[in-house]
């Protein structure tokens, strides 16, 4: 949704013409180039939107607003802060830490529940299929295998299609956009949380080449958002201290903790979770948040450890050596030879090339799927079922291409494997033999990764097996991402990377001292770096996953090389998805072409302002004919000798003030009366769809002619920049401070006190190039 007080175009043109007298009083003079150009809907080419910023959430197109991270320093805020007692401040601090603890506790329990569900459902499916194959009922085995997969896939797709479309995908791009200041509809709603949990269980158990790690990040953020709602009248949670969190600023901190907790729960990597939130998710950070996030992930680690110890007694069904268990890769080799380092460099280059190519194909597949998904829920479910059938065909059919291998004479575990998991799957082989390709396909994804990372087993997998498995994982990972189920990219990328890593390790075995399991880990690291472009957080996550600190130098080297190579071709996969979905994401750096423009070049008009004491009718008309969320307040005679900028007032605050009806018949200040009537909490941010709406306010004709004092709710210290400031400098300032509105003031005195307002939309490339099409976006 467009937040600018300077845009009056699009569908509101007719209404604006009808109120020309009102607008003429508030226009400060703008040229035609300042009007907002058409904005095409992301991914879709068939429709054009002229009035607002929009993005795709799930498969639905929805309007976008920004979050109010800035503290509104008006008279009510000052009164509330000055009157707050030490006991209340202490309660606020204690409650903030309590919420951090609850986020860690809840996310840890949900992460364990996810793994429990996946392990038991997938275990039942694999046992059923295995028992039928033992009886040589191969067609019935495939029917049972594919039927279970399709049923689970259809359940996951139905949940996403009909209940919470925003739960589709990994959710990391949405969380990343939210922490950047983008408020997209329903991305953190309770319905999204429920569908994310159960949809992820069904999707992973259905055998898709997807992971539950990305969805866990989104799940943690949803849990944090739910706990940080600031109380609920519906459920009688109206404790006074809970109201302190009815603002975007505190909620942002809690959601950052939730995202970190999600990674910690998915990988059992508490430090990696903190670094992931710092490096990839959050756009704004401070030392206090680091400490609180670390506390949250520590709680997750303790909870998971306790629950896993409980399950070792056999009380959790088929849950055992699945998720939440480390992929042990032990290295006794501390010295690296020249061939070893050359092999690692080669792995990094290959990972960068394959990762950038992977992102390219994911981009094309997402654009194709968007055409199918926008046709409706039925088409979403049909697409999911089709991909499920394709995945089942690959998983069941490809192991037949592999020959049977005699069991190793000194195997550490039973060969062939009896049961649902293990490294020596019998499949169609005679006694004493195993199918190495089935050991990868006929396991949960976590067990397949463990098999690939396994040390001391150079000849366990044939070269042809690794080539086939890598090709299948690479292809299936691409075609699966984008369907209407909760799906993460970590596991598909790790599977494919570990495959070609182990393949290269097997080939280089005679000249390298490194174990093939370590090559698999380095291959996974290289592919992760090539697709996601993270370094520090991935390095720590992999080390926590494998419990092998001796691999640190090699993992660092391979990540740096793969990221450098891949950055030469395209952006990281999450950055690509953020852009494809249309989220107006503010980058940490300004684009080069912004240096050729100044702030005054991109502000749009006409500009609608209010007087410090404004007529009710004018406020109501302005709110009716615009969707702007911020309006400058100008003090004029008789209150000042010459017009001067008083500050900025928010749309939501105006609606609360109008509903209170503290009007005066004469144009006089009445701030003291308003301060007695209202409290700062009355203007706190309401929950989704629960804010005051203009159509709900009944104002008669007599009240329309009255006046209302805006001074008590006006932010008297908004951030301002002079109109000649470089647009690049203004963009960095806007992003670093987490702003929603940035006021542009004139450089020379004697002019109208405000030139315009910069919002997130004004810094978007499409908007700027729409005004100045001659600019080269790469210079």
């Amino acid at each position: 949704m467009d937040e600018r007080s300077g845009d009056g175009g699009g569908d509101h043109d007719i209404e604006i013409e009808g109120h020309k007298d009102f607008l003429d009083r508030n226009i400060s003079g703008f040229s035609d180039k300042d009007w907002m150009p058409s904005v095409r809907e992301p991914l879709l080419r068939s429709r054009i939107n002229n009035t607002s910023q929009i993005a795709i959430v799930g498969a639905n197109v929805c309007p976008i607003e920004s979050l109010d991270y800035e503290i509104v320093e008006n008279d009510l805020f000052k009164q509330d802060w000055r009157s707050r007692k030490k006991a209340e401040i202490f309660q606020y601090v204690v409650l903030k830490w309590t919420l951090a603890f609850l986020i860690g506790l809840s996310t840890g329990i949900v992460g364990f529940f996810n793994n429990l569900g996946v392990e038991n459902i997938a275990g039942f499916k694999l046992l059923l299929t295995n028992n039928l194959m033992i009886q040589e009922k191969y067609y019935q085995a495939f029917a049972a295998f594919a039927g279970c997969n399709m049923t689970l896939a259809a359940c996951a797709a139905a949940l996403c299609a009909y209940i919470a479309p925003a739960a589709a995908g990994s959710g990391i791009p949405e969380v990343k956009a939210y922490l950047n200041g983008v408020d997209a509809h329903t991305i953190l709603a309770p319905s999204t949380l429920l569908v994310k949990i159960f949809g992820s269980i069904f999707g992973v158990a259905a055998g898709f080449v997807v992971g539950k790690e990305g969805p866990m990040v989104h799940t943690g953020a949803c849990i944090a958002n739910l706990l940080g709602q600031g109380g609920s009248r519906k459920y009688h949670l109206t404790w006074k201290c809970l109201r302190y969190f009815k603002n975007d600023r505190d909620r942002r901190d809690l959601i950052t903790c939730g995202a970190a907790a999600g990674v910690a729960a998915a990988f059992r990597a508490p430090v990696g979770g903190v670094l992931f939130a710092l490096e990839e998710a959050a756009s704004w950070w401070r030392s206090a948040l680091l400490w609180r996030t670390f506390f949250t992930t520590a709680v997750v680690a303790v909870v998971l450890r306790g629950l896993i110890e409980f399950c070792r007694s056999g009380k959790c069904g088929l849950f055992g050596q699945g998720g939440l268990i480390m992929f042990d890769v032990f290295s006794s080799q501390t010295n690296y030879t020249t061939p070893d380092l050359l092999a690692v460099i080669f792995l990094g280059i290959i990972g960068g090339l394959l990762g950038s190519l992977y992102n390219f194909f994911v981009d094309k597949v997402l654009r194709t799927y968007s055409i199918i998904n926008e046709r409706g829920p039925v088409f979403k479910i049909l697409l999911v079922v089709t991909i499920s059938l394709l995945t089942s065909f690959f998983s069941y059919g490809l192991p037949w291409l592999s020959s049977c291998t005699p069991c190793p004479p000194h195997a550490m575990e039973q060969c062939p494997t009896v049961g649902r998991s293990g490294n020596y799957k019998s499949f169609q082989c005679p006694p004493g033999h195993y199918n190495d390709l089935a050991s990868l396909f006929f396991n949960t994804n976590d067990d397949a990764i463990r098999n690939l990372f396994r040390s001391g087993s150079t000849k366990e997998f044939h070269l042809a097996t690794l080539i086939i498995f890598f090709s299948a994982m690479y292809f299936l990972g691409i075609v699966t991402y984008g369907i209407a189920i909760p799906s993460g990219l970590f596991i598909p990328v790790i599977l494919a990377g570990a495959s070609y890593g182990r393949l290269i390790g097997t080939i280089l075995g005679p000249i390298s001292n490194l174990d093939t399991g370590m090559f698999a880990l380095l291959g996974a690291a290289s592919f992760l770096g090539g697709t996601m472009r993270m370094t520090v957080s991935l390095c720590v996550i992999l080390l926590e996953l494998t419990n092998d600190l001796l691999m640190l130098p090699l993992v660092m080297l391979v990540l740096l090389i793969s990221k450098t190579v891949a950055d030469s071709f395209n952006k990281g996969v999450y950055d690509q998805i953020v852009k494809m979905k249309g989220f107006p994401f503010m980058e940490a750096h300004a684009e080069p072409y912004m240096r050729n423009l100044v702030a005054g070049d991109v502000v749009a008009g006409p500009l609608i302002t209010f007087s410090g004491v404004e007529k009710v009718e004018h406020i109501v008309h302005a709110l009716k004919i615009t969707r702007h969320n911020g309006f400058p307040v100008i003090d004029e005679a008789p209150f000042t000798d010459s017009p001067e900028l008083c500050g900025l007032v928010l749309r939501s605050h105006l609606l609360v003030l109008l509903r209170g009806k503290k009007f005066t018949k004469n144009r006089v200040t009445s701030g003291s009366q308003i301060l007695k009537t209202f409290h700062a909490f009355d203007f706190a941010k309401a929950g989704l769809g629960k804010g005051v709406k203009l159509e709900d306010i009944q104002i008669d004709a007599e009240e329309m002619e009255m006046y209302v004092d805006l001074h008590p709710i006006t932010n008297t210290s908004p951030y301002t920049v002079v109109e000649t400031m470089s647009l690049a400098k203004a963009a960095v300032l806007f992003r670093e401070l987490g702003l929603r509105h940035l006021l542009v003031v004139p450089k020379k005195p004697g002019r109208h006190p405000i030139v315009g307002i910069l919002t997130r939309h004004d810094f978007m490339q499409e908007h700027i190039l729409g005004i100045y099409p001659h600019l080269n976006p790469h210079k």
Side-chain angles (χ1 to χ4, degrees):
M1 184 176 292
D2 188 13
E3 303 151 13
R4 297 173 301 128
S5 68
D7 173 29
D11 297 337
H12 305 301
D13 286 346
I14 298 176
E15 294 180 88
I16 289 178
E17 289 292 334
H19 300 286
K20 189 174 184 300
D21 293 339
F22 169 63
L23 291 175
D24 286 343
R25 183 170 64 86
N26 296 288
I27 294 177
S28 58
F30 289 84
S31 61
D32 293 338
K33 69 179 177 64
D34 294 313
W35 289 79
M36 186 178 75
S38 298
V39 179
R40 288 188 178 273
E41 291 186 355
L43 293 180
L44 310 177
R45 300 181 179 180
S46 58
R47 294 169 295 198
I48 296 178
N49 180 282
N50 296 311
T51 59
S52 63
Q53 182 68 49
I54 52 176
I56 287 183
V57 178
N60 298 332
V61 177
C62 68
I64 294 296
E65 290 188 6
S66 289
L67 297 165
D68 290 303
Y69 289 153
E70 182 184 0
I71 295 177
V72 179
E73 294 185 348
N74 53 29
D75 291 342
L76 282 165
F77 170 81
K78 294 173 184 176
Q79 181 194 56
D80 175 65
W81 181 255
R82 290 169 183 165
S83 63
R84 191 174 294 179
K85 301 176 183 178
K86 290 184 178 180
E88 290 178 320
I89 297 174
F90 178 76
Q91 288 176 346
Y92 167 74
V93 173
V94 170
L95 186 59
K96 184 177 287 189
W97 283 99
T98 302
L99 288 176
F101 171 80
L102 292 175
I103 291 169
L105 177 65
S106 303
T107 307
I109 293 174
V110 169
F112 176 78
F113 173 74
N114 277 7
N115 283 275
L116 198 66
V118 169
E119 290 286 314
N120 282 282
I121 295 174
F124 170 79
K125 175 189 70 177
L126 293 172
L127 278 176
L128 175 63
T129 307
N130 186 61
N131 290 336
L132 289 171
M133 293 197 71
I134 291 176
Q135 302 172 29
E136 298 186 356
K137 297 180 179 180
Y138 299 121
Y139 291 108
Q140 292 93 324
F142 174 72
F145 181 70
C148 290
N149 284 345
M150 292 171 64
T151 301
L152 292 168
C155 291
L159 288 173
C160 281
Y162 289 105
I163 299 177
S170 72
I172 292 179
E174 285 82 357
V175 174
K176 184 175 179 179
Y178 184 93
L179 294 177
N180 188 257
V182 178
D183 189 10
H185 185 65
T186 71
I187 61 173
L188 299 176
S191 59
T192 303
L193 171 61
L194 291 175
V195 172
K196 205 75 180 183
I197 294 173
F198 291 99
S200 179
I201 293 173
F202 293 149
V204 176
F208 283 116
V209 184
V210 298
K212 52 188 176 294
E213 286 70 20
M216 271 307 302
V217 176
H218 196 180
T219 299
C222 289
I223 291 172
N225 182 68
L226 184 64
L227 293 174
Q229 284 292 326
S232 171
R233 293 182 180 179
K234 180 179 179 181
Y235 298 106
H236 305 289
L237 297 175
T238 55
W239 185 32
K240 184 178 180 180
C241 290
L242 288 173
R243 297 185 296 176
Y244 295 145
F245 295 91
K246 281 188 173 293
N247 63 85
D248 292 327
R249 192 179 184 89
D250 284 320
R251 200 170 296 170
R252 171 187 59 186
D253 290 355
L254 293 175
I255 289 171
T256 303
C257 293
V263 175
F267 293 108
R268 272 183 63 198
V271 179
V274 175
L275 293 176
F276 175 85
L278 172 60
E279 181 180 7
E280 182 66 14
S283 296
W284 187 87
W285 199 265
R286 56 194 175 93
S287 57
L289 182 58
L290 177 67
W291 173 225
R292 194 171 296 112
T293 305
F294 184 70
F295 170 72
T296 305
T297 57
V299 173
V300 174
V302 172
V303 170
L304 290 180
R305 172 60 65 183
L307 291 173
I308 291 172
E309 291 297 329
F310 171 77
C311 278
R312 285 182 177 174
S313 61
K315 299 178 181 179
C316 299
L318 295 172
F319 181 81
Q321 298 296 314
L324 303 177
I325 309 298
M326 290 182 179
F327 306 129
D328 294 318
V329 180
F330 294 105
S331 171
S332 58
Q333 183 68 32
T334 57
N335 298 319
Y336 312 119
T337 63
T338 300
D340 295 335
L341 293 177
L342 291 176
V344 171
I345 293 173
F346 178 70
L347 269 177
I349 295 173
I350 293 297
L353 294 174
L354 289 175
S356 60
L357 187 64
Y358 190 90
N359 291 358
F360 173 80
F361 285 127
V362 165
D363 179 285
K364 300 302 179 185
V365 168
L366 282 175
R367 294 181 185 278
T368 303
Y369 285 173
S370 70
I371 300 173
I372 301 174
N373 289 334
E374 71 169 333
R375 293 179 175 271
V378 175
F379 285 87
K380 294 181 187 178
I381 297 175
L382 288 176
L383 176 62
V384 171
V385 172
T386 302
I387 299 299
S388 174
L389 184 60
L390 178 67
T391 304
S392 299
F393 177 78
F394 273 77
S395 299
Y396 188 85
L398 289 179
W400 292 91
L401 301 177
S402 178
S403 59
C404 295
T405 305
C407 290
H410 303 292
M412 298 297 293
E413 60 181 273
Q414 187 174 3
C415 179
T417 300
V418 177
R420 64 167 194 85
S421 65
N423 211 35
Y424 302 105
K425 287 285 186 180
S426 175
F427 205 64
Q428 86 288 8
C429 294
H433 293 71
Y434 72 96
N435 187 317
D436 59 345
L437 194 52
S439 299
L440 298 176
F441 276 114
F442 258 65
N443 263 324
T444 60
N445 292 334
D446 294 320
D447 280 324
I449 293 173
R450 180 173 294 99
N451 293 343
L452 289 170
F453 281 1
R454 188 169 180 168
S455 300
S457 53
T458 305
K459 299 181 180 180
E460 189 170 316
F461 297 101
H462 298 102
L463 292 179
T465 294
L466 296 172
I467 293 173
I468 293 172
F469 188 71
F470 164 71
S471 302
M473 291 300 101
Y474 197 89
F475 170 73
L476 290 175
I478 291 171
V479 300
T480 304
Y481 196 79
I483 60 178
I485 63 169
S487 54
L489 280 172
F490 276 98
I491 292 301
V493 170
I494 291 176
L495 283 169
S499 301
Y500 73 73
R502 193 176 185 95
L503 173 65
I504 294 174
T506 304
I507 296 173
L508 299 180
I511 62 173
S512 175
N513 293 326
L514 296 179
D515 188 86
T516 52
M518 299 174 199
F519 268 105
L521 172 63
L522 293 173
S526 69
F527 202 13
L528 284 168
T531 53
M532 301 180 183
R533 314 296 162 82
M534 294 181 283
T535 52
V536 180
S537 56
L538 280 179
C539 182
V540 174
I541 287 172
L542 288 172
L543 293 178
E544 289 185 285
L545 267 177
T546 57
N547 198 26
D548 189 2
L549 285 176
L550 296 177
M551 295 294 292
L552 177 61
L554 297 183
V555 173
M556 291 174 64
L557 179 62
V558 78
L559 282 171
L560 288 171
I561 294 173
S562 62
K563 181 185 186 310
T564 303
V565 171
D567 280 339
S568 303
F569 298 97
N570 49 32
K571 291 185 176 182
V573 63
Y574 296 133
D575 293 323
Q576 283 189 174
I577 295 172
V578 165
K579 184 175 181 180
M580 281 189 291
K581 285 178 172 288
F583 293 122
F585 190 86
M586 293 289 296
E587 299 289 350
H589 60 277
E591 298 295 337
Y593 62 85
M594 289 184 178
R595 301 191 190 99
N596 302 321
L597 299 172
V598 296
D601 289 335
V602 297
V603 292
L607 180 67
I608 299 177
T609 65
F610 294 132
S611 298
V613 180
E614 185 59 84
K615 196 173 184 179
V616 174
E617 181 184 16
H618 292 160
I619 298 176
V620 172
H621 285 332
L623 296 179
K624 279 184 178 180
I625 65 176
T626 68
R627 294 184 177 181
H628 310 155
N629 287 288
F631 300 88
V633 177
I634 308 297
D635 269 336
E636 301 171 334
F639 305 106
T640 59
D641 296 332
S642 60
E644 63 180 36
L645 178 63
C646 176
L648 184 79
V649 64
L650 298 180
R651 181 188 189 93
S652 58
H653 292 184
L654 285 171
L655 291 171
V656 174
L657 190 62
L658 290 176
R659 185 180 62 177
K661 294 188 177 183
K662 293 300 176 181
F663 309 143
T664 58
K665 292 185 178 180
N666 300 318
R667 194 181 181 193
V668 296
T669 58
S670 57
S672 58
Q673 182 183 1
I674 291 176
L675 290 174
K676 293 178 181 178
T677 305
F678 293 97
H679 191 273
F681 288 130
D682 296 326
F683 297 88
K685 184 168 183 177
L688 182 65
K690 298 178 182 178
V692 182
K693 298 178 182 179
L694 184 61
E695 52 267 27
D696 298 332
I697 302 174
Q698 302 295 328
I699 300 179
D700 56 35
E702 182 181 356
E703 291 172 329
M704 284 287 193
E705 298 300 320
M706 301 176 74
Y707 294 88
V708 59
D709 188 1
L710 302 182
H711 290 100
I713 64 169
T714 299
N715 182 5
T716 55
S717 57
Y719 287 96
T720 61
V721 296
V722 69
E723 61 183 334
T724 55
M725 175 182 278
S726 164
L727 188 62
K729 194 172 182 179
V732 173
L733 177 68
F734 191 95
R735 201 256 194 187
E736 291 295 326
L737 295 175
L739 301 180
R740 186 177 189 179
H741 303 99
L742 183 60
L743 277 59
V744 181
V745 297
K747 184 177 181 62
K748 296 181 180 180
R751 296 173 54 192
H752 194 270
I754 182 169
V755 175
I757 293 183
L758 290 173
T759 64
R760 181 177 298 270
H761 173 76
D762 295 306
F763 295 103
M764 294 299 107
Q765 178 175 307
E766 296 80 7
H767 171 67
I768 297 173
L769 296 183
I771 302 174
Y772 303 102
H774 62 279
L775 288 177
N776 187 338
H778 303 294
K779 292 184 179 180

